[in-house]
Structure formats: structure tokens, C-alpha cells
Amino acid sequence: MNNNMKLNLKLKIWRQSSAKSVGSFVDYKVSVSPDASFLEMLDEINNELEKNNQDPIVFESDCREGICGTCGLVINGEPHGPLRKVATCQLHMRNFKDGQTIWVEPFRAKAFPVIKDLAVDRSAFDKIIQAGGYISVNTGGVPDANSIPIAKDIASEAFDSAACIGCGACVAACKNSSAMLFVSAKVTQFALLPQGQPERQQRVEAMVAKMDEFGFGSCSNTYACEAECPKGISVRNIARLNHEYLSAKVKSTNVEV
Amino acid sequence: MGILNSKVPAGPIESKWTNHKFNMKLVNPSNKRKYDIIVVGTGLAGASAAATLGELGYKVKAFSFHDSPRRAHSIAAQGGINASKNYQNDGDSTFRLFYDTIKGGDFRSREANVYRLAEVSGNIIDQCVAQGVPFAREYGGLLDNRSFGGAQVSRTFYARGQTGQQLLLGAYSALSRQIGKGAVEMYNRREMLDLVVVDGQARGIVVRNLLTGEIEKYSAHAVVLATGGYANIFYLSTNAMNSNATAIWRAHKKGAYFANPCYTQIHPTCLPLHGDSQSKLTLMSESLRNDGRVWVPKKKDDNRSSNQIPEEERDYYLERKYPSYGNLSPRDISSRSAKEVCDEGRGVNGGEAVYLDFADAIKRLGKKSIEEKYGNLFDMYQNITGENPYEVPMKIYPAPHYVMGGLWVDYNLMSTVPGLFVLGEANFSDHGANRLGASALMQGLADGYFVIPYTIGDYLATNKFSAVSTNHDEFKKSEDGVKEQVKKLLSIKGKMTVDEIHKKLGRLMWNKVGMARNEKGLKEVIGEIKELREEFWKNVNVVGKADDLNQTLERAGRVADYLELGELMATDALKRNESCGGHFREEYQTEEGEAKRDDENYRYVAAWEYENAGKWNLNKEQLEFEFLHLAQRSYK
Ligand SMILES: Cc1cc2nc3c(=O)[nH]c(=O)nc-3n(C[C@H](O)[C@H](O)[C@H](O)COP(=O)(O)OP(=O)(O)OC[C@H]3O[C@@H](n4cnc5c(N)ncnc54)[C@H](O)[C@@H]3O)c2cc1C
Ligand code: SF4
Ligand code: FES
């Protein structure tokens, strides 16, 4: 590890004091260890700002292990930064060059309004899940776990979809701000599993209806979402969602055809 | 000094819970909606509780400081969840899980609670599978298991290295369903800053709306806290950045006793420190010890790289010292052993790390199989350290990870404040002085899905409630207190940042209330914490405003509480003149350097009652072992 070699960087960070105010990029300079994470670099800047009685940059994070989905910054134009399949919190400074300029912005989408600086409101995702992203079982009275055998490859495929961390990078990456990757991952997980069959049709209809209500855009197959997704959720999920939705519509009484 | 009543039902251990369930009073289905229940925290314990209470028909209000219940710290649990299904036919049973947990906890937990935990463990797996949790499976389609530390059977269910995520998403989906139906009202981005007690009953909470800074009041017939653990008191820990003690600490100051605050778990397999700016420590799941072998060089200050150290010059110290459990020895023992070899100067490059080596496993099972089991953990390791663990051994070191201590609760999970229930990591209930791997997820879900729905009904059905609105004087008092503190914090305008003080506290705790403790150090640290607390209240600089999203202010309130809790942890550690589980007092060890308990004098739960700042009274719950024999823990 090259502890004594620090990187000197210029940062252009989006500052916006509230949802209603107009934001702009502000310049910062930092000298940081290549072993530090991107968010630790921001921590250092914030500590300095606080020492100088200035408002620190608001950004959100929690697990810092790429699993809670709280973090999420657009770094040099890319949600979660230049690396593939990692969340912002897993990005380390060794991936940047000495002297480089780094642009840092919030996720941008109509359905994700900025709260302050780099923090955005992603509660629309919760609302989509509340509309139908579950299997309706109450606590208790369920069958023994091994009475529902599931082929290993099916379980594994369902897991791949279930791995979504709800970060919203897919929406931020999409020029239409589509939430299709997020929604399709949940729909696919349950469509693959026997437990998900009874509500298969209502689920996809309800979730898609809610997604549309929030003003997420439509999918035009550019696959930017898959490229930026920290969990490598595949666009094949979207194909399945379309298929599920169409077959639900054909059978449905709820949806106007 | 008082004696506590744990309200453990009479009768043989196998039938206590069944009988108790029958004897408890029920709330008539049509009356349930007349009761308001507040659930603070929506991690595994809180989300499962809120969802289940909503399903039953209670009017539930759930609170979390996160922007969504799906972000709770539970999401980060990697390795797995225990249950005594005995699907592997390897000799597991409710009794064995009960036994392993009591023994793992070094005989410092309450038998009846632990038995109930083991008893309902199987139901948890059933429930999660019904929700669509994609657990790992075998080729025949049935559920797969792996082994965890402190057990000789395979009873850990897992979903790759993301078990906590999948379980939390299961509980979150159940909770979301109730929110969608209107049975649960969800209040995200609210931080509980006080408990409101009226006529001796917990009747509500005061929270800060983290977006607007507004102080809000909510009343109810009962309050459930499921707010997680406080290992972040060490500043560097494996916990999520925002995990904190504030909810339970403020409840403690309102009368809830704090039990065994000094019992902390230092996890043996974490990534070593990389530098000053480090914000947290990353756990490498204990499941890695199924296939990884832990070693250090035999020689002191051996600076050769790992592949240049021949087999005969390596010390696989866990296999050597504990042949029957080997690399799967319990966490406290593994952590202490790592510290020992590093203190001897045999750590990697003389520093603070030991090797976790997969070379043998890769030879035996093939790279593909290792990738399948641990792929995401290996990727994570490489991403953080820049080294490829398929080629060179991982470097690991112990880190603060979990707290067995928490608010004292009786068998019904009720604290010493009537109507205040505490679930999950926030209570002290089931793990004694050391928690076994994969048992926290089990406990959180047992508490939330299968215990609280019964016991809270009994409380509501057997108590009288006066009408209490948020205009009550007690609410006003709490609100004023909270506002006063916010104002105070913002007005100090000193020279030190909140993080700088937190780091200082963390270092004090790690050095003197960490993996090894002694009388001298503990006495010193109590004074040092008091000084640091004074410094905080004189010299902290909290920038920003009260009526705005202000993350510095949020952290300041939490650190203020840690500065009090730290003193209590040290006080408790000093009072406990024995070693047990994660509490290792250097003065009390066997000749072989193992923890030496003193059952005669310390076979009790220490439940501390808050009197005023820096002053507590000790209450004891004597632990009786009716069904298991007290024995020195041996993993040899
Ligand atoms: C990295 C890691 C890996 C782990 N792996 C395993 C494992 O493999 N197996 C295992 O059994 N255990 C594991 N554990 C332990 C386990 O994850 C935790 O003990 C458990 O998830 C705690 O759950 P909980 O519901 O009690 O609390 P949490 O999940 O921490 O939830 C706390 C909730 O309370 C809320 N909250 C807290 N304070 C307030 C407040 N003041 N106001 C409002 N809301 C508040 C939060 O928003 C959150 O919703 C692991 C822990 C870590 C750190
Ligand atoms: S699909 Fe990927 S990018 Fe979208 S929310 Fe899920 S994890 Fe994030
Ligand atoms: S902080 Fe949790 S995913 Fe980045």
C-alpha cells in the first residue's frame, strides 16, 4: 500500500441548499490517500468545512459496503462512478489519477427530487413495493420450508434479481428516468418462485401502474441501467417484465386494454 | 440494590412458552384497532414486529431515521441465520441449539429465553421461505446449510453472502404490504430523541424530523424499541455509519435499566485498518472460516511475504489450540487469539493482521466452488484492498461488531418501564456474554414475528389506560428538553468537530474497554471519558441550523449519548471481576489464558438504573441454570 503518496485532486461538487433553491457546482481541493474510499474523501472535506464553520456537503451513506443502497452519487457523469458493479461507497481513490478533476452530482430524475446538495428523495421506490412487491402471507401458518422444493438454478436466478439494493442508479443512468430495471428485478424474483405464482398477475399490474403514476419514463432499450447497476441486475429482467405485463394484460380484468 | 423479576413462567423448559402462550390474555380481534402501538426501528426486529402487529389489526406507527425501512443495518448481515431444523440429519435439535447458545454465551444468558429462541427458530425459516426469500439450495431443490462458529452441526441457512439483505427485504415486503393497506403508518427520516412516560407507563415518543428539523410528538398505548446496537461507540466498527445508541439511551434515562453494557463482541474476521481517514471497518463473514485457515508466521517479525513462508514455519494457531473446533472456534476466543499472536509480534509483517488462507480449500474444492460460495466476499475484499484473495491469503483483524448488552427485558421482552418493549440487538436478552454467529438475525426475527405479537397483547389486555394525548404535560416536558438540547449543541461553537471527539472516544474505548480490560485501565478510562464529555459540551462545533437537514447535528446528539454510555460500559466492566465471553479481564484468566468465570459471585445480569449523569445503581438478576450444567467452556 502506498500510504505516503497522496493524490491531489480538484473537485466540482453540486451544492443546493434545498429542494426549491437553485444549485451550482462549487470547487474544492483535496489531498487524499489512494487507499481512502470516495466517501471518506468527502468526509475529510466535510471535517475541514466544519472546522472553518462552513456547512458540510450533504450526502447520504450508511453501510459503506455496497448493500444498503443509501449512497449514490453521479461521479464524472456516471452513477456510482467509473467502476462497474460497485456502489459509490465501494469506490476507492486509487481509481483516480493525481491532478484529476472530479465532478460530483446527485442522482437526477423527476421522480427523485433533490433534498439538499447530493441527497435525493427516492421514496417512490418504497411506494412501488407497497403497491404489490410482496407475497401476501401473514406471520404464522405457513408450510414447512422444505415442503416447497425449488431447483437450485431457479433459486439462484431468483437470487440474482433479488440482489437489487434499491439505490436508483438505474433511474439516474436512464435518459428517460425509467425505473424498469428496479421494478423488473422484483417482478422477476417472484415470477420465478412457486411462492410468487398466486399473485403473479396482480403484482406486475399494480407495480407498473404505481411506477407510471410517479412519472418514471419508459424504457427505450439503451441498457444504460444495466451498465451502471452496482449489483449487475441484467436487462433480461426487463424483457421478463414486459412479458409478464403483457400476459397479465391479456388475462386481466383490471387493466384497460 | 434491587432484585429483578424476569417473569419466567414455571414448568419444564420445553413447555414454558407453550403454557405461557395459553395463559396470556388475548385482545379481542375487534378491539385491536383501538390500540395504538409505536414501533421505533424497522430493521429485522422492528419490521417483522410492525408487519405482524399490523396484520393482527393493531394500529401501528413505525419510525426509522432511514429514508426507507430497507436501509436498516440488518441489510448488511452476510453469513446466515441459524435454525434447528436438523435438515442435515447431523444431530441438531431444539435442545442442541439451546445448549450451544447458552454455552457460546458463556453461561451468562437466561435459560428460558434462549430455549424459546431455539424453539421458534424453525418457524422463522418457514416464514421467510413463504415470503420468497431465495435461500441457497441443494441440487435436489431443498435448503442448503453451512456451519458457523461454536457449533458442530450445520444449521446455518444462507443466501449467498447476503443473508441479512434477503431476510430484511422479506420483512420489508411484509411491512410494505401493511403500509400499503394502511394498517401501519410509516414515518421515515424521524429520529427518536425521547421516550414519554405518563403515570409510569410508556405512552409515546418525541422525534426530530430529519428533513425539516421539526420536533414531533406521537402517543400510543405501548412503545416498542428495535433500534439496533451501539458498537459504533468505538467509532470504527463493522456497523453501518448511522447505527447508534440514542433511542435506548434516552429510554434508559427515562427509567429503563441497561443490562450488561460491557458485553461487546469483537469480530475476528474484519479488514485491518488502512489509514487515518478510515470511517468504518469491513467485516469478512465468519462463514469464510468454513474453508479458510487462519495462520501467522511462527517467527517474530517475519517480513517475508506469505507465499515465501513454508508450511512448517506457519502457526495455524486456532487449529493448534482448539483442535475440535479449529478455525470455527467462537468469536471471542478467535479474536483474543489473534490479538495474542499480534501482541507477540507475530502478526503479518509484525503488524496488526493475521492470514485467512484459502489455498487448501481451492486445491481441494476448486476455484469455482469457492467462487460460488464466497464470490461476493472475495470481490469485496479485492475491491477494498486491491489484492486478489484467490491468489494471496486475506489479511484480517478483529473489530467491534455487535453488542450483547442492551436494555434489560423480562421474558415478555418488556423493559423496566411498563409498556416499553425492546427487541433485537437493542435488548440484552439471549446471547449472554458472547453471541454465536448467525444468531442475531434469528433473535431479531424471533422477537418480531413470534414473541412480541403475543406478549404485547397480554400487556394491553391486562392494563388500564387513561386517555393520553400529545398535549399532556409529559409530552411538553420532553419536547422542551429535546429542543433545549438542540439549541445547546448549536450554540457551543467550539473548536473540535463532532467526528474528532468521536474518534477520541473510540480510541479510549478500544484501548481500555476493548478486547482485553484491566482494573487500572478501566479506572483511568472512566476519568478520561468524563473529561472528554466535558470537553464536548464546552468545545464542540456543530455547524448549521436546527430547522434544516443537518447531519452534523444528528451525529452530535449521538456522540453526546456515547459519552455517557461509554462511562457506563467501563463502570460495568470494572464491577465484573471475572472474565466471561467477550468480557475479558486480564486479571481473571486460566493458566492457558482462557476466560475464567466466577460463577459464585458473578452469575448475574447487571442491570443499571440511571440516577443522574455519571451515577447509576446496580440491580441484579440472578441466573439459574436448572436445565443445563454450568461448566467451563471448552472448545478443545
Ligand atoms: C457487517 C455485519 C454482518 C453481520 N452478519 C450477521 C450474520 O451473518 N448473522 C447474524 O445473525 N447476524 C449478523 N450480524 C448482526 C445483525 O445484523 C444485527 O445484530 C441485526 O441485524 C440487528 O437487527 P435489529 O433489527 O435489531 O437492528 P437494525 O437492523 O440495526 O435496525 C435498527 C433500526 O432502528 C432504527 N433506529 C435506530 N435508532 C433510531 C432512532 N433513534 N429513531 C428512529 N429510528 C431509529 C434504524 O433506522 C433501523 O431501522 C451482522 C452485523 C454486521 C455489522
Ligand atoms: S436495479 Fe440496480 S441500479 Fe437499479 S435500484 Fe436495483 S441495484 Fe440499484
Ligand atoms: S452506503 Fe450502503 S450501499 Fe453505499
Side-chain angles (χ1 to χ4, degrees):
Chain A
M1 278 181 237
N2 26 10
N3 266 332
N4 32 25
M5 197 200 80
K6 291 223 171 184
L7 299 172
N8 294 300
L9 302 163
K10 283 195 209 95
L11 288 134
K12 293 184 176 289
I13 299 179
W14 185 260
R15 302 295 311 253
Q16 179 175 342
S17 58
S18 72
K20 294 204 180 73
S21 61
V22 189
S24 64
F25 286 100
V26 176
D27 291 350
Y28 298 90
K29 274 194 186 134
V30 67
S31 167
V32 66
S33 152
D35 287 329
S37 74
F38 197 85
L39 298 184
E40 285 167 351
M41 184 261 307
L42 293 181
D43 289 341
E44 283 189 37
I45 297 181
N46 275 348
N47 202 47
E48 280 310 304
L49 288 173
E50 285 182 26
K51 279 188 143 345
N52 294 313
N53 280 318
Q54 286 173 309
D55 271 350
I57 303 152
V58 172
F59 66 92
E60 297 195 279
S61 77
D62 202 24
C63 72
R64 298 211 174 175
E65 290 184 6
I67 195 72
C68 71
T70 309
C71 66
L73 302 173
V74 176
I75 299 166
N76 286 341
E78 285 185 274
H80 293 308
L83 295 191
R84 296 284 82 98
K85 290 200 191 177
V86 299
T88 304
C89 58
Q90 297 170 292
L91 178 62
H92 285 75
M93 297 316 293
R94 68 178 78 91
N95 296 295
F96 296 88
K97 286 196 207 70
D98 192 39
Q100 198 178 338
T101 300
I102 307 174
W103 296 76
V104 189
E105 297 167 75
F107 282 1
R108 295 188 195 275
K110 187 170 139 226
F112 290 168
V114 170
I115 296 170
K116 191 172 173 180
D117 297 340
L118 303 170
V120 298
D121 177 1
R122 287 165 290 187
S123 51
F125 271 10
D126 280 340
K127 299 278 172 7
I128 295 174
I129 299 292
Q130 287 157 19
Y134 47 74
I135 290 171
S136 298
V137 287
N138 283 354
T139 302
V142 299
D144 182 86
N146 259 353
S147 67
I148 318 172
I150 302 171
K152 189 179 164 86
D153 54 334
I154 299 285
S156 174
E157 211 186 325
F159 182 96
D160 288 340
S161 300
C164 162
I165 59 174
C167 63
C170 45
V171 176
C174 175
K175 64 178 172 19
N176 308 324
S177 299
S178 166
M180 286 288 267
L181 196 62
F182 168 77
V183 175
S184 67
K186 202 38 89 200
V187 166
T188 301
Q189 177 195 348
F190 290 146
L192 284 168
L193 296 172
Q195 303 93 303
Q197 299 314 309
E199 297 165 289
R200 191 165 171 177
Q201 188 183 322
Q202 302 96 290
R203 178 179 305 115
V204 66
E205 286 172 7
M207 290 179 76
V208 169
K210 193 50 96 179
M211 170 179 88
D212 291 343
E213 194 184 309
F214 274 99
F216 289 103
S218 56
C219 172
S220 51
N221 299 315
T222 58
Y223 303 159
C225 52
E226 179 186 273
E228 302 300 350
C229 172
K231 292 291 141 182
I233 304 291
S234 154
V235 290
R236 284 198 308 272
N237 287 278
I238 297 183
R240 183 180 288 270
L241 172 68
N242 287 330
H243 171 81
E244 292 288 320
Y245 188 66
L246 282 178
S247 34
K249 253 181 134 176
V250 170
K251 292 184 215 139
S252 180
T253 47
N254 307 338
V255 181
E256 289 174 36
V257 184
Chain B
M1 194 185 300
I3 301 287
L4 287 157
N5 180 0
S6 59
K7 306 228 174 86
V8 170
I13 194 118
E14 305 79 28
S15 41
K16 280 183 196 291
W17 179 233
T18 309
N19 292 342
H20 191 56
K21 278 193 287 187
F22 180 74
N23 291 330
M24 280 187 288
K25 294 270 179 306
L26 299 174
V27 178
N28 174 312
S30 59
N31 280 340
K32 288 204 175 91
R33 67 191 148 77
K34 296 185 189 148
Y35 289 107
D36 294 296
I37 300 175
I38 284 174
V39 178
V40 188
T42 44
L44 278 180
S48 56
T52 307
L53 294 169
E55 287 161 11
L56 287 170
Y58 294 109
K59 268 170 59 190
V60 180
K61 289 188 170 70
F63 295 81
S64 147
F65 61 64
H66 286 99
D67 67 321
S68 158
R70 68 180 295 153
R71 314 269 187 234
H73 166 59
S74 294
I75 202 101
Q78 302 172 350
I81 175 166
N82 288 329
S84 57
K85 283 282 198 186
N86 195 30
Y87 280 164
Q88 305 305 322
N89 195 29
D90 57 358
D92 204 5
S93 62
T94 301
F95 203 86
R96 186 176 297 280
L97 176 52
F98 161 60
Y99 172 79
D100 286 348
T101 308
I102 294 273
K103 178 183 169 193
D106 217 355
F107 298 89
R108 288 292 173 267
S109 38
R110 191 189 287 149
E111 275 189 333
N113 281 58
V114 176
Y115 193 90
R116 174 178 63 193
L117 175 64
E119 190 177 338
V120 303
S121 64
N123 300 87
I124 298 171
I125 305 303
D126 299 343
Q127 191 63 39
C128 297
V129 167
Q131 290 167 345
V133 170
F135 282 122
R137 291 182 179 261
E138 291 169 348
Y139 283 103
L142 301 184
L143 292 162
D144 191 17
N145 291 119
R146 55 166 61 143
S147 306
F148 253 59
Q152 288 175 314
V153 294
S154 261
R155 63 158 77 97
T156 306
F157 294 79
Y158 66 102
R160 284 192 208 153
Q162 289 160 236
T163 315
Q165 180 200 24
Q166 295 309 316
L167 296 177
L168 183 63
L169 292 182
Y172 162 73
S173 71
L175 174 61
S176 295
R177 176 168 158 247
Q178 295 309 309
I179 297 171
K181 283 182 165 178
V184 176
E185 262 179 275
M186 185 70 217
Y187 294 84
N188 291 311
R189 295 192 189 270
R190 303 296 201 293
E191 181 152 65
M192 168 182 160
L193 294 178
D194 205 11
L195 175 76
V196 180
V197 181
V198 179
D199 300 332
Q201 292 173 320
R203 292 303 299 268
I205 58 172
V206 173
V207 305
R208 182 166 177 273
N209 180 326
L210 300 182
L211 291 181
T212 62
E214 214 169 312
I215 305 300
E216 304 169 348
K217 300 171 284 186
Y218 299 90
S219 68
H221 296 91
V223 176
V224 177
L225 298 187
T227 49
Y230 52 86
N232 269 346
I233 191 168
F234 291 95
Y235 187 76
L236 288 176
S237 85
T238 63
N239 285 17
M241 298 297 289
N242 297 307
S243 296
N244 71 83
T246 288
I248 57 171
W249 193 252
R250 308 274 166 113
H252 172 56
K253 290 171 97 170
K254 280 293 179 77
Y257 292 4
F258 208 115
N260 301 333
C262 81
Y263 290 170
T264 39
Q265 178 162 81
I266 312 292
H267 196 292
T269 54
C270 304
L271 298 189
L273 264 175
H274 68 65
D276 292 340
S277 65
Q278 189 143 352
S279 57
K280 71 162 291 194
L281 293 165
T282 304
L283 173 78
M284 287 282 111
S285 166
E286 168 167 312
S287 61
L288 291 168
R289 292 198 276 145
N290 269 297
D291 289 301
R293 299 179 70 196
V294 178
W295 65 275
V296 289
K298 283 189 177 157
K299 274 200 309 220
K300 263 170 93 167
D301 302 318
D302 192 336
N303 288 328
R304 289 175 293 176
S305 65
S306 59
N307 56 12
Q308 282 170 346
I309 302 178
E311 200 55 32
E312 60 281 6
E313 291 181 44
R314 300 176 175 192
D315 179 12
Y316 294 89
Y317 56 88
L318 287 175
E319 297 171 23
R320 172 172 60 78
K321 285 165 53 184
Y322 309 101
S324 48
Y325 284 71
N327 294 301
L328 284 174
S329 295
R331 292 181 173 171
D332 51 341
I333 290 179
S334 308
S335 291
R336 228 158 27 236
S337 303
K339 178 177 177 341
E340 236 170 68
V341 294
C342 291
D343 288 352
E344 285 166 22
R346 296 197 289 134
V348 174
N349 296 328
E352 296 206 318
V354 301
Y355 288 121
L356 179 63
D357 199 334
F358 290 86
D360 286 348
I362 292 174
K363 239 186 266 157
R364 196 175 67 243
L365 305 166
K367 186 176 165 198
K368 182 141 186 287
S369 150
I370 294 295
E371 198 175 329
E372 221 169 65
K373 278 195 192 163
Y374 311 115
N376 67 322
L377 298 172
F378 276 48
D379 290 350
M380 193 187 217
Y381 183 88
Q382 178 154 20
N383 177 274
I384 297 175
T385 63
E387 291 184 350
N388 180 351
Y390 293 102
E391 281 157 20
V392 294
M394 290 184 177
K395 294 188 195 102
I396 54 166
Y397 198 66
H401 176 59
Y402 180 88
V403 291
M404 282 72 71
L407 294 185
W408 185 88
V409 288
D410 65 13
Y411 187 70
N412 297 317
L413 303 183
M414 191 162 89
S415 71
T416 50
V417 177
L420 177 70
F421 294 80
V422 192
L423 321 182
E425 192 173 338
N427 74 23
F428 89 107
S429 70
D430 295 350
H431 308 293
N434 173 54
R435 172 177 71 80
L436 291 181
S439 285
L441 303 181
M442 169 173 72
Q443 182 224 331
L445 291 180
D447 289 358
Y449 284 134
F450 298 111
V451 180
I452 192 72
Y454 292 93
T455 58
I456 208 167
D458 185 52
Y459 172 78
L460 294 171
T462 53
N463 281 280
K464 287 206 163 39
F465 298 92
S466 52
V468 169
S469 83
T470 53
N471 296 324
H472 193 282
D473 271 358
E474 287 299 328
F475 274 93
K476 184 83 187 91
K477 257 204 271 178
S478 276
E479 182 187 12
D480 290 347
V482 165
K483 285 185 172 161
E484 190 53 41
Q485 196 197 40
V486 168
K487 214 166 107 192
K488 177 88 203 286
L489 286 168
L490 290 169
S491 68
I492 300 168
K493 301 213 176 304
K495 292 252 164 345
M496 287 183 79
T497 64
V498 175
D499 275 8
E500 284 168 346
I501 295 182
H502 193 177
K503 274 187 196 176
K504 266 194 167 176
L505 174 66
R507 235 169 287 136
L508 288 177
M509 297 300 293
W510 178 243
N511 289 337
K512 294 180 176 167
V513 202
M515 262 191 287
R517 300 140 178 205
N518 60 52
E519 185 179 340
K520 179 167 166 284
L522 289 166
K523 282 187 171 153
E524 282 164 11
V525 84
I526 289 174
E528 288 161 343
I529 296 170
K530 277 187 207 280
E531 276 168 31
L532 190 60
R533 189 162 70 223
E534 273 169 36
E535 160 118 50
F536 175 91
W537 285 107
K538 271 196 225 125
N539 198 23
V540 75
N541 184 18
V542 184
V543 296
K545 294 186 300 224
D547 56 352
D548 191 4
L549 171 56
N550 185 340
Q551 296 173 322
T552 316
L553 177 63
E554 291 165 28
R555 286 202 308 273
R558 297 168 189 171
V559 172
D561 291 342
Y562 286 143
L563 286 163
E564 298 179 8
L565 168 59
E567 184 180 352
L568 181 62
M569 288 167 71
T571 305
D572 185 43
L574 180 62
K575 177 82 192 168
R576 191 168 280 280
N577 289 308
E578 64 162 352
S579 294
C580 56
H583 169 63
F584 192 74
R585 280 282 300 271
E586 287 166 344
E587 305 93 318
Y588 308 101
Q589 46 183 307
T590 64
E591 270 166 27
E592 291 133 332
E594 305 292 343
K596 192 164 154 200
R597 288 197 326 255
D598 175 354
D599 291 331
E600 202 172 316
N601 296 305
Y602 292 95
R603 204 181 69 239
Y604 64 74
V605 176
W608 297 90
E609 176 184 3
Y610 183 84
E611 205 175 289
N612 50 49
K615 181 138 183 24
W616 289 271
N617 300 318
L618 176 62
N619 296 269
K620 294 180 183 175
E621 177 195 342
Q622 199 62 28
L623 293 169
E624 300 304 340
F625 291 87
E626 273 183 80
F627 304 93
L628 292 178
H629 288 297
L630 276 165
Q632 199 207 321
R633 230 164 36 134
S634 166
Y635 290 93
K636 300 197 178 218

